[in-house]
Amino acid sequence: MVNGINLALQFLDSFAFIVLAAAGLAIIFGIMGVINLAHGEFILIGAYTATLAVTQLGLPLVVAMLVGGVVTGLFGILTERVIISGAWPNWVSQRTLGRDIIEPLYNRLADSMVATFGLSLILTQGARIRFGNSIDQIATPFGAISYGAFSYSTYRIVLAGVSIGLLLATYYLFTRTDFGMRARATIQDKETAQAMGVNTDRMYMLTFGIGSALAGLTGALFAPVISMQPTLGDQFLVEAFVAVVVGGPSVVLGTALSGGVLGAILATFSNLYGTFIGRIALLVAALIALRFLPDGITGFIEQLRKRRQESD
Amino acid sequence: MSRNSANGEANRSLPGRLRSRFEGPNTIGESRGFWVGFAVAVAALVVYPAFGDGSQLSLFMVLALLGLSLSVVWGYSGVLSFGQVVFFGIGAYTFGVVSINFATPGGITAAVVAGIVGGGVSAAILGYFMFYGGVRDVYVTIITLVSTIVMHTFMAQTAGSEWAIGEAALGGFNGMPDIPLLTLGIEGASYQFIYNPFPMRIIGIGSFEISPFYYLVLLLLVGTYLGLRVLVNSDYGRVMVAVREDEDRTEMFGYNVTRIKFVVFTLGGALAGLSGVLYAARNVYIDPTVFSLLFATLPVIWVSIGGRKSLLGAVVATLAIEYLRISMAGELALVLLGTLLLVTILVLPSGFVPWLHERIVETRLGPGEAGGADAPDTPSEVSD
């Protein structure tokens, strides 16, 4: 019984971690066709901003976390304008050289990976130069609940709730609102969307900003429970990539499903054989999933649906 | 090729026919000036140890082999592998394990072969899994990235005494020390390459010591570069490039795209394995940092900045960037490297060397000058 509770809590924990790590990356990849290898560093920005807002400015924790998300979102918009779409450098070069110098990185997957890796190097090392090898951490709020001989941090349960809430909010944003409709139209057919009066340029910018803000919020949410060092983004990167790949093209549903499946695998193997084996199991599961479901879980669901429609 | 058949005279003579094997649409540098410059560059590398730090340059040349392996796989076949260091590291560890267990000249020679085969076989296994499983495009990149992280996680926890193969303990984070010195040959007829300088005396210049390992690596690098030039300009190389440009169309023309990607990926793995063997042999030590994310990205950085569709670019950029990285060991080094990478990708997506080549071709006055100014990059980037 107690072991069952342990396993359930561990599952919730893994689920929240995977979903939150992947959410921002999945939106930017799934919607814009850009792989953001600086995703871990966006998480770092959120975590550092929230922590510094608490320790230096004395803001309440919840406010500080929102600040972390907002700052990272703004940084994401800056990144999109300068690097991903090259809009600002091109504006300057149009007036000085009379031509564009940067071709947007949309749907140039390999180039977007390499460019954002450059950004990631700059951010990691920049954080190290500015703040040193670690900064003071904020305490974990809410205490712990205990059952039997065990106790568990309440905050981690809250995180699981928040991750589900964020998924629902993202799903709502992209499927039920005007903005979501325009964003999806931009993805599906840029020219037609433009003809229908959608400002596609702004859609890309905002989508990237939302993805970045989610990454920043993830960092801010995990700030109390992970150690604050310049490389903290790395520990999110693997889970994020694996979740995105296993999830497939449908962003929110894919992230939720792969968070569920991978979270279960991670929790079970970690519980039985320790965290190292848990992590290896996660990666092996991802490789096997890719071998048999090259388009991820949602791609597979899509295929099944198509087949059923054809047979009807 | 077509350019050469127009130049009929060169085609009839033996050197001309030989040269045409190395030239084609897939490499830059076809003029006589290029080959003169190439010879000058190689000559400069030959005499370099007399003036500069040859032992450091030998490391950069070892890494240039790794850069070449990625250039073939990514630049010519369009498969972006973030996992070249996996095969590099497996080659290095295999060399270490075999040579520690059989520390005789024959055993160490066998270990070199084992390392190369290890790199190739591990690439073949991963490649079979991916390409015959229908994994495409960016997912290949992500799988190779994930494999790198798997290897890093795995090798880092092999510290316990149960993680030993024969005499060789894998050593976890502490790595595997005491790898025997690189010796090639069999018992009775072998030569030991590391820390075995032999004195040279040249009348008029003086006497100095030269490192046989340096020349071994230089020979391998020049040989590999020329060999790959032949490969990418052959019919097979043309098909590789066709796969890069348009997979579906190549498939439609009746080529087995899956097999081509598989073969090239395996070849790249073997070449990365060779690089890893030399790396482990040079340092007589290997540890899991070769699987770290930073190290995994270095080949991508070299090849991107140098020009991914250019073998020469991969070599030149590896030498130049590693020189830069080592000499600016300060805190800003990574920031500058990141900025360089970012700016190159944004402004010169095709890379530095092809861009330079275009400028030279554009501005050249006579046909002989194109390559002449192109090739000496190699020594000038290294020895300043």
Side-chain angles (χ1 to χ4, degrees), chain A residues 37-209:
Chain A
L37 266 191
H39 181 69
E41 282 62 45
F42 282 40
I43 291 176
L44 170 80
I45 293 176
Y48 266 41
T49 310
T51 305
L52 291 172
V54 170
T55 55
Q56 308 288 315
L57 304 176
L59 292 180
L61 187 62
V62 177
V63 179
M65 284 176 173
L66 291 177
V67 169
V70 170
V71 167
T72 316
L74 292 176
F75 183 79
I77 288 178
L78 179 75
T79 305
E80 201 275 344
R81 288 289 91 181
V82 175
I83 296 170
I84 309 292
S85 73
W88 290 353
N90 281 346
W91 188 86
V92 173
S93 74
Q94 277 291 355
R95 271 146 195 79
T96 50
L97 301 170
R99 61 182 174 86
D100 285 355
I101 52 167
I102 295 176
E103 192 188 324
L105 292 171
Y106 303 128
N107 289 317
R108 289 166 61 199
L109 289 166
D111 287 346
S112 69
M113 270 179 122
V114 179
T116 50
F117 185 78
L119 181 65
S120 133
L121 278 181
I122 298 171
L123 290 175
T124 312
Q125 195 62 19
R128 183 169 288 132
I129 292 170
R130 175 68 185 77
F131 299 108
N133 277 324
S134 67
I135 61 171
D136 287 341
Q137 198 164 356
I138 36 183
T140 312
F142 305 137
I145 48 164
S146 48
Y147 52 97
F150 300 92
S151 73
Y152 200 78
S153 157
T154 317
Y155 185 68
R156 287 192 167 266
I157 297 173
V158 174
L159 277 182
V162 171
S163 69
I164 294 169
L166 273 180
L167 270 181
L168 291 175
T170 317
Y171 185 74
Y172 181 82
L173 179 70
F174 280 102
T175 57
R176 296 282 185 272
T177 64
D178 231 32
F179 167 81
M181 194 181 65
R182 282 162 204 264
R184 283 181 299 130
T186 307
I187 307 323
Q188 229 163 43
D189 190 335
K190 192 178 161 194
E191 277 73 30
T192 311
Q194 272 170 343
M196 305 289 272
V198 177
N199 185 343
T200 54
D201 203 37
R202 190 197 289 164
M203 283 300 131
Y204 279 136
M205 184 179 87
L206 290 177
T207 310
F208 200 90

Side-chain angles (χ1 to χ4, degrees), chain A residues 207-223:
Chain A
T207 310
F208 200 90
I210 290 171
S212 309
L214 277 177
L217 204 54
T218 303
L221 285 166
F222 278 96

Side-chain angles (χ1 to χ4, degrees), chain B:
Chain B
M1 216 47 155
S2 55
R3 197 177 292 192
N4 266 355
S5 44
N7 192 351
E9 187 193 354
N11 248 359
R12 267 192 295 275
S13 67
L14 183 65
R17 261 183 315 188
L18 252 178
R19 214 178 89 182
S20 73
R21 307 282 299 178
F22 295 105
E23 295 179 344
N26 295 329
T27 45
I28 55 174
E30 305 193 330
S31 59
R32 178 174 298 176
F34 172 82
W35 290 109
V36 171
F38 182 76
V40 170
V42 173
L45 286 173
V46 168
V47 298
Y48 177 76
F51 309 101
D53 186 355
S55 101
Q56 205 177 47
L57 188 56
S58 72
L59 174 65
F60 303 160
M61 292 196 297
V62 166
L63 294 174
L65 283 171
L66 179 61
L68 277 178
S69 80
L70 182 66
S71 179
V72 176
V73 172
W74 181 24
Y76 286 90
S77 310
V79 177
L80 171 49
S81 161
F82 250 87
Q84 288 306 100
V85 292
V86 170
F87 318 126
F88 177 87
I90 287 177
Y93 269 101
T94 310
F95 172 72
V97 167
V98 176
S99 64
I100 287 174
N101 282 305
F102 306 96
T104 58
I108 296 170
T109 310
V112 173
V113 177
I116 300 169
V117 171
V121 167
S122 50
I125 293 171
L126 187 65
Y128 178 80
F129 204 65
M130 293 191 303
F131 301 125
Y132 285 91
V135 177
R136 294 180 317 271
D137 311 329
V138 73
Y139 293 101
V140 170
T141 310
I142 294 177
I143 290 190
T144 50
L145 183 67
V146 168
S147 323
T148 311
I149 298 164
V150 172
M151 284 309 292
H152 190 244
T153 321
F154 176 73
M155 290 314 300
Q157 58 87 50
T158 56
S161 54
E162 71 273 25
W163 292 102
I165 302 172
E167 307 265 300
L170 296 179
F173 263 124
N174 296 324
M176 189 195 286
D178 300 328
I179 294 177
L181 301 172
L182 179 64
T183 310
L184 292 180
I186 50 165
E187 273 72 12
S190 65
Y191 190 76
Q192 196 265 96
F193 281 89
I194 310 259
Y195 305 135
N196 188 19
F198 52 84
M200 279 281 281
R201 185 169 293 121
I202 294 177
I203 298 155
I205 298 179
S207 66
F208 45 87
E209 291 183 327
I210 59 177
S211 147
F213 182 74
Y214 177 90
Y215 290 99
L216 176 70
V217 176
L218 179 61
L219 188 73
L220 285 170
L221 180 62
V222 172
T224 308
Y225 170 71
L226 292 175
L228 289 177
R229 269 191 85 126
V230 173
L231 174 70
V232 299
N233 286 322
S234 67
D235 288 343
Y236 200 81
R238 265 173 258 247
V239 182
M240 279 160 55
V241 172
V243 171
R244 173 187 83 197
E245 296 297 329
D246 194 331
E247 250 178 61
D248 295 336
R249 200 175 291 182
T250 314
E251 183 99 63
M252 214 185 69
F253 277 130
Y255 293 103
N256 188 340
V257 170
T258 310
R259 195 172 64 206
I260 289 162
K261 288 200 284 191
F262 170 73
V263 169
V264 174
F265 196 74
T266 306
L267 174 77
L271 189 51
L274 168 67
S275 176
V277 166
L278 294 170
Y279 183 82
R282 181 191 173 277
N283 296 347
V284 289
Y285 170 74
I286 186 74
D287 73 6
T289 52
V290 294
F291 297 117
S292 68
L293 203 55
L294 175 67
F295 197 77
T297 335
L298 283 175
V300 180
I301 296 181
W302 304 327
V303 172
S304 302
I305 293 182
R308 80 184 65 141
K309 296 172 187 173
S310 159
L311 296 171
L312 184 66
V315 175
V316 171
T318 309
L319 299 180
I321 292 170
E322 283 307 291
Y323 175 78
L324 217 69
R325 207 167 67 90
I326 301 294
S327 59
M328 320 184 290
E331 289 201 304
L332 277 173
L334 285 179
V335 176
L336 289 178
L337 196 60
T339 313
L340 186 66
L341 180 64
L342 197 54
V343 171
T344 314
I345 281 293
L346 292 177
V347 182
L348 292 178
S350 64
F352 188 71
V353 168
W355 174 81
L356 196 68
H357 178 252
E358 252 173 56
R359 293 289 86 73
I360 290 163
V361 170
E362 253 173 38
T363 56
R364 72 174 160 184
L365 304 167
E369 285 171 53
D374 186 53
D377 271 356
T378 319
S380 66
E381 297 251 16
V382 174
S383 50
D384 335 313

